[in-house]
Amino acid sequence: MGSPPAGSELSNYRWLKSLITLLACGLAVIAAAFNVRALLQGKTDALVVLVFYTTYAILFAIRRPSITEMKGLKHWLVALGGTFLPFFVLHGGSRLVLPWTAVFTLQGLQTLYMYGAVLSLGKSFGVIAAVRQIKTQGLYRFVRHPLYSAELLGFLLAVSQNASIYNMALIVIQVSCQLIRIQDEERLLRQDPQYEAYFATVRYRLIPGVY
């Protein structure tokens, strides 16, 4: 979990990292096309997802270089699944019986929460579990992974308005990836005494008082 190995292993690692980064960019383009199409068809909830991941793309471009990061195909697959699977929600199917005003209000609150998490994280954004800068301010004072909880809320809202077996299976897989991703991140970050102290102070990962 430390610095990348030397010699041929370092070359292989860089090759794998470049390949997966290219895959992530491809997934982002494909998924963006799905959501633009849904938006043009009048599916307003697609706008939340599209803005969400456009922000991700900007942060990915300006992020700080990592001090150390998880390595290995499993960690990359989990990170990619947790990040990009919400993009592939298919619009259509059943909708929960909620007033339009309630859905609109929840989407607005989720967007505000997401941007609050993004601003709290800043340039420390990344896909795979990595150490860039320990964050303890903003929404990080309440939960250890506010961006992931914002993602979860947005994903649940999207699926609630487009309920199908496919979308429900998608959210189960994505949440599973996120739980593994959280464990990866915390195992790496707890090697830092500052994060260990933060870990002991902020008890909950995603939802205050629950988890």
Side-chain angles (χ1 to χ4, degrees):
M1 291 189 290
S3 300
S8 61
E9 291 186 6
L10 175 58
S11 177
N12 290 337
Y13 173 78
R14 286 175 173 168
W15 179 85
L16 176 62
K17 187 173 180 179
S18 298
L19 179 63
I20 293 177
T21 300
L22 183 62
L23 173 63
C25 292
L27 288 174
V29 170
I30 294 169
F34 271 102
N35 283 277
V36 168
R37 180 183 178 187
L39 189 60
L40 292 174
Q41 292 173 343
K43 305 288 186 179
T44 56
D45 51 307
L47 179 61
V48 175
V49 180
L50 190 59
V51 171
F52 192 34
Y53 286 98
T54 300
T55 304
Y56 267 24
I58 295 169
L59 287 174
F60 189 78
I62 66 172
R63 72 195 188 282
R64 288 186 178 90
S66 61
I67 299 169
T68 184
E69 63 186 36
M70 286 288 189
K71 292 174 287 295
L73 185 59
K74 185 202 86 168
H75 300 299
W76 273 107
L77 291 176
V78 165
L80 289 172
T83 301
F84 291 105
L85 282 178
F87 247 149
F88 293 94
V89 169
L90 293 182
H91 295 268
S94 303
R95 289 174 177 263
L96 291 184
V97 183
L98 288 174
W100 179 85
T101 52
V103 174
F104 183 79
T105 300
L106 287 171
Q107 287 179 339
L109 290 173
Q110 186 271 337
T111 301
L112 289 174
Y113 181 40
M114 184 269 289
Y115 275 106
V118 165
L119 291 174
S120 300
L121 184 60
K123 292 183 180 181
S124 292
F125 173 84
V127 176
I128 198 167
V131 176
R132 288 183 169 84
Q133 183 182 44
I134 304 300
K135 293 291 183 177
T136 61
Q137 300 301 313
L139 292 177
Y140 284 84
R141 292 178 294 174
F142 307 104
V143 291
R144 299 199 296 268
H145 303 276
L147 192 54
Y148 294 166
S149 58
E151 286 179 348
L152 177 59
L153 177 58
F155 201 178
L156 287 171
L157 283 171
V159 172
S160 74
Q161 298 305 296
N162 302 277
S164 66
I165 293 175
Y166 165 82
N167 286 339
M168 291 177 183
L170 203 65
I171 198 170
V172 168
I173 296 170
Q174 192 266 350
V175 169
S176 299
C177 287
Q178 290 292 66
L179 293 177
I180 297 171
R181 191 181 185 189
I182 286 171
Q183 292 175 354
D184 281 349
E185 286 190 12
E186 293 188 344
R187 187 162 61 249
L188 187 63
L189 290 167
R190 289 182 71 182
Q191 296 178 19
D192 187 306
Q194 182 186 356
Y195 189 84
E196 184 65 26
Y198 166 75
F199 183 90
T201 303
V202 179
R203 295 178 55 195
Y204 298 103
R205 288 169 166 164
L206 296 175
I207 306 170
V210 179
Y211 175 76

